[in-house]
Amino acid sequence: MLQRPRRNRKSAVIRDMVQENHLAASNLIFPLFIVDGQNQKTEVSSMPGIFRYSVDNLLREVESCLKLGLKAFDLFPNIEDALKDKYATVSYQKGSLYLRAIEEVKKNFPEACVVTDVAMDPYSSDGHDGIVENGEILNDETLAILGKMALAHAEAGADIIAPSDMMDGRIGYIRQTLDQNGFTDVSLMSYTAKYASAFYGPFRDALNSAPKAGDKKSYQMNPANSREALIEAQLDMEEGADFLMVKPGLPYLDIIKLLHDNFDLPIAAYNVSGEYAMLKAAAQNGWLNEERAIMETLLSFRRAGATSILTYHAKEVLEKGWLK
């Protein structure tokens, strides 16, 4: 045999030498949940090791992450039901929880990259990503609210705005709104292929943001479809997106690869709450080696073509020294 592939696997040094994909802290974005109040830190019951933080404790968490080399954070608000309404007006009100959180992180840690979520569902009394009328999600009417939200985030100091709503045309609308108001340098990370998935349950638990009626299948993508993701990606690129995101991650590695192979924009993957919860539960029951399973999972996103990975494992892998 002239070819013996095992020769390149015979020692750790050689295996490292020929490794094709690598994972670094710079590839990771850490999602963080925010609640109102002071000195609040409550664990999400369905996501062991993940907490909701009041702004004062959020700053402490960001500082500890920065010391580990983790520099990018995606913020998500848990809003009291009393503040929610049909048009998600609290989402762009001056002095609101989310805007205060963005401002405080950027004021205290200007070196941190703050990613913000644009969608109505955390603030909506209906729990949907768009305005609801007679059971229908209104697309074009929703864009104005998303534009106000994105502009408020930019004014608060957001580095990257990530629209997660899946309304048609929202990237172009938000890009135009930002540019007309002087925020040409604020990036857009579009949730390009966001699927109507069963893996979002723990996240909705963390934010108390589940729909009050119906589901999200009229705007999130059908899990059976892949070519449809190419249409979404083409539109987002033409409308001014700087990143294309696929959500969830593990069940959609083929979609990450598809976008990577067809578009020159950076691809992000969201390693979602349900994926995190499954792995944690299996590890806690002794069914999986936790370190190996987490690292294999994160490397699979890199292998598929993701340059950025939103993952609840971000701090853990650095804290435990699992990134070699």
Side-chain angles (χ1 to χ4, degrees), residues 3 15 32 58 61 70 86 107 123-125 144 150 167 173-174 177 181 186 210 268 281 283-284 298 300 315 322:
Q3 294 295 324
R15 287 193 296 272
L32 291 168
L58 171 71
E61 180 68 2
L70 181 56
K86 183 182 183 69
K107 181 176 75 174
Y123 316 92
S124 165
S125 51
M167 297 297 113
Y173 189 97
I174 291 171
T177 299
N181 285 276
V186 174
Q284 288 177 354
L298 298 179
S300 75
K315 184 181 182 183
W322 291 348

Side-chain angles (χ1 to χ4, degrees), residues 65 157 210:
C65 290

